[in-house]
């Protein structure tokens, strides 16, 4: 490969260099391009990408993927050009579907207002809530996946259960491969993204499970209870259909819980309002007779849940990362944009690093995730 001194940034800020691999008739034929990780001012090891794949590089960037993620996606030797095109097409369709869902919710509110009807904040959330999970679900496959260390804790809690009901199953993360799993998922978007060969999935809601009493050894629910219309009713349904219940949820009982995580403490105080009506951890535990144990979040957590990037703050600046987190949709675009701007400024100035220097040496953090085991 020739010197990279002639590198130039393209229109979306990525550094692209053409590498000379052959000469023909006295002309230089660029056959590959090197994508430099980071910015033009940051040195890094170039990753060679076939020139025809540059379209994919640019497309992933326009969808909001970070440079390192683009390099990993395009450089994946197990994924050919056709697979990339299908993935890109799916991502674009998901973005369109999310936009359509949001427009439909807005149209419904405009219609109500045109009739002179007063729309309360609760009703606004309800209008959007019917489509919320479908709207955010489209982004899940990009950043939401099973985190092995969290999975190990969940699967250990399942004990010797052989038949498992996964309630609010989404795309199937955390479903144990060595058990007989039945999934329940109300969102068509999420059901449609379940991989081939995954457990059979029933279209149903947690509050009304279509199964007889004690049909399963265990019922599990992972990071989904906050999406349910009636969490306590859903938990009691799980208890009814299974002999054991395992639920990964969030603890809002601790005084000052909002300050556990720097993102909600310093940039997104609106998060507290999102969970204002969420049942207490004690209340959920009492409903199913459960004990609670903390679930630490690893610093390099593979599952892009809301708290996953506590030691990687730059990830929250990436649009596609935020789109897979329901919190951002619930707080609204004004709060989201303000938080992202403030975080970006603090990262550039070094204030975030100074304020959170104690996190640098932590391998995991307790940010309120709890496992209920009954």
């Amino acid at each position: 490969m020739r010197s990279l001194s002639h590198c130039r940034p393209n229109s979306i800020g990525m550094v692209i260099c053409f590498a000379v691999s052959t000469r023909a008739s006295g002309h230089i034929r660029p056959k590959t391009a090197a994508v430099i990780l980071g910015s033009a001012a940051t040195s890094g090891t170039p990753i060679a990408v076939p020139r025809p794949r540059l379209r994919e590089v640019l497309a992933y960037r326009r969808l909001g993927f970070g440079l390192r993620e683009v390099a990993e996606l395009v450089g994946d030797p197990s994924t050919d050009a056709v697979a990339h095109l299908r993935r890109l097409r799916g991502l674009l369709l998901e973005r369109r579907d999310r936009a359509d869902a949001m427009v439909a919710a807005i149209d419904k509110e405009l219609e109500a207002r045109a009739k002179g009807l007063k729309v309360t904040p609760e009703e606004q959330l309800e209008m959007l809530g019917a489509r919320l999970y479908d709207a955010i679900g489209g982004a899940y496959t990009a950043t939401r996946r099973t985190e092995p260390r969290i999975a190990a804790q969940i699967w250990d809690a399942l004990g010797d259960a052989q038949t498992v009901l996964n309630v609010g199953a989404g795309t199937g993360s955390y479903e144990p491969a060595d058990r007989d799993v039945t999934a329940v998922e109300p969102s068509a978007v999420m059901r449609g993204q379940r991989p081939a060969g995954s457990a059979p999935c029933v279209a149903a809601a947690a509050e009304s499970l279509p199964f007889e009493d004690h049909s399963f050894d265990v019922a599990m629910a992972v990071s989904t209870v906050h999406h349910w219309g009636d969490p306590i009713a859903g938990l009691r349904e799980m208890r009814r259909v299974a002999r054991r219940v395992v639920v990964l949820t969030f603890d809002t009982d601790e005084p000052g819980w909002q300050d556990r995580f720097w993102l909600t403490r310093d940039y997104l105080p609106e998060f507290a309002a999102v969970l204002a009506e969420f049942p207490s951890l004690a209340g959920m535990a009492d409903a199913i007779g459960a004990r609670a144990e903390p679930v630490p979040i690893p610093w390099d957590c593979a599952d892009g849940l809301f708290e996953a990037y506590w030691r990687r703050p730059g990830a929250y600046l990436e649009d596609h990362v935020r789109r897979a987190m329901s919190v951002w949709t619930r707080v609204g675009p004004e709060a989201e944009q303000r938080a992202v701007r403030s975080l970006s400024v603090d990262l550039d100035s070094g204030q975030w690093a100074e304020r959170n220097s104690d996190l640098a040496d932590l391998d995991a953090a307790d940010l309120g995730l709890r496992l209920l085991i009954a």
Side-chain angles (χ1 to χ4, degrees):
M1 181 176 288
R2 281 180 178 261
S3 168
L4 300 180
S5 60
H6 61 292
C7 288
R8 57 183 174 81
N10 70 358
S11 61
I12 53 175
M14 181 181 295
V15 178
I16 292 179
C17 304
F18 291 107
V20 179
S21 61
T22 65
R23 290 177 180 268
S25 304
H27 297 288
I28 295 175
R29 285 187 179 177
K31 291 291 186 183
T32 61
V35 179
I36 310 302
L37 301 182
S39 65
T42 304
S43 61
T45 302
I47 295 178
V49 177
R51 193 183 182 198
R53 307 281 290 272
L54 286 179
R55 171 186 58 185
E56 295 153 17
V57 172
L58 300 178
Y60 281 126
R61 279 297 285 159
R62 290 191 185 281
L63 283 166
F65 285 80
L67 294 179
R68 292 187 181 276
E69 292 167 305
V70 171
E72 291 173 0
L73 286 166
V74 178
D76 182 358
S78 65
T79 306
D80 60 17
V82 173
H84 277 292
L85 286 174
R86 286 174 176 164
R87 178 188 285 165
L88 286 169
R89 184 177 186 276
L91 288 169
L92 289 167
L93 289 174
E94 289 158 10
R95 176 167 290 190
R96 184 190 68 184
D97 291 344
R98 292 199 305 273
D100 288 346
M102 298 292 285
V103 169
I106 291 171
D107 287 345
K108 186 175 180 180
E109 182 175 337
L110 287 172
E111 181 180 351
R113 290 180 182 275
K115 294 178 181 179
L117 301 176
K118 184 178 180 181
V119 182
T120 67
E122 291 76 14
E123 289 170 332
Q124 292 173 9
L125 285 177
E126 184 178 356
M127 285 182 183
L128 200 57
R131 296 178 179 267
L132 175 62
Y133 209 37
D134 280 348
I136 66 169
Y140 264 54
T141 54
T143 62
R144 302 302 295 270
R145 56 186 67 91
T146 299
E147 162 51 52
R149 287 155 290 192
I150 294 177
Q153 189 170 350
I154 294 172
W155 295 341
D156 182 65
L158 298 181
D160 59 359
Q162 291 303 307
T163 56
V164 179
L165 179 68
N166 187 17
V167 181
T171 60
S173 296
Y174 299 99
E175 289 179 359
D178 60 344
R179 326 269 180 129
D180 180 9
V181 178
T182 299
V184 167
E185 174 52 55
S187 166
V189 170
M190 300 296 277
R191 293 196 305 272
Q193 294 181 91
R194 291 177 64 83
S198 59
C201 190
V202 177
E207 297 88 341
S208 183
L209 296 174
F211 306 105
E212 299 293 332
D213 294 359
H214 307 299
S215 296
F216 302 91
D217 293 335
V218 64
M220 60 181 282
V222 178
S223 297
T224 179
V225 175
H226 55 285
H227 290 297
W228 300 353
D230 188 339
I232 297 298
L235 291 170
R236 287 174 175 159
E237 273 289 89
M238 292 177 67
R239 194 62 167 135
R240 178 184 66 80
V241 303
R243 285 178 280 275
R244 183 181 304 164
V245 177
V246 175
V247 177
L248 182 65
T249 186
F250 191 79
D251 179 13
T252 59
D253 289 2
E254 180 184 339
W257 63 267
Q258 304 95 324
D259 296 335
R260 284 186 300 228
F261 185 24
W262 56 261
L263 183 57
T264 54
R265 180 192 67 209
D266 300 330
Y267 303 99
L268 199 66
E270 293 85 354
F271 180 67
V274 170
L275 294 180
E277 302 301 320
F278 192 61
S280 68
L281 185 71
M284 291 188 286
D286 287 345
I288 56 176
R291 62 180 175 85
E293 63 180 43
V295 180
I297 301 176
W299 77 269
D300 55 349
C301 184
D303 187 356
L305 47 85
F306 181 59
E307 300 86 359
Y309 306 97
W310 59 269
R311 220 182 84 179
R312 298 169 287 167
Y316 293 103
L317 305 183
E318 299 284 354
D319 181 73
H320 80 279
V321 169
R322 299 195 306 277
R323 294 288 67 78
M325 304 169 179
S326 62
V327 170
W328 299 103
T329 302
R330 289 188 178 275
V331 298
E334 183 177 344
E336 177 180 5
Q337 292 165 15
R338 186 209 65 240
V340 170
R341 284 195 304 269
S342 298
L343 176 58
S344 179
V345 168
D346 285 355
L347 288 174
D348 289 342
S349 69
Q351 288 189 21
W352 182 92
E354 182 179 352
R355 188 184 300 129
N356 298 283
S357 59
D358 57 319
L359 302 181
D361 296 326
L362 295 181
D363 293 328
D366 179 1
L367 297 175
L369 284 190
R370 295 292 182 267
L371 197 62
L372 294 178
I373 305 171

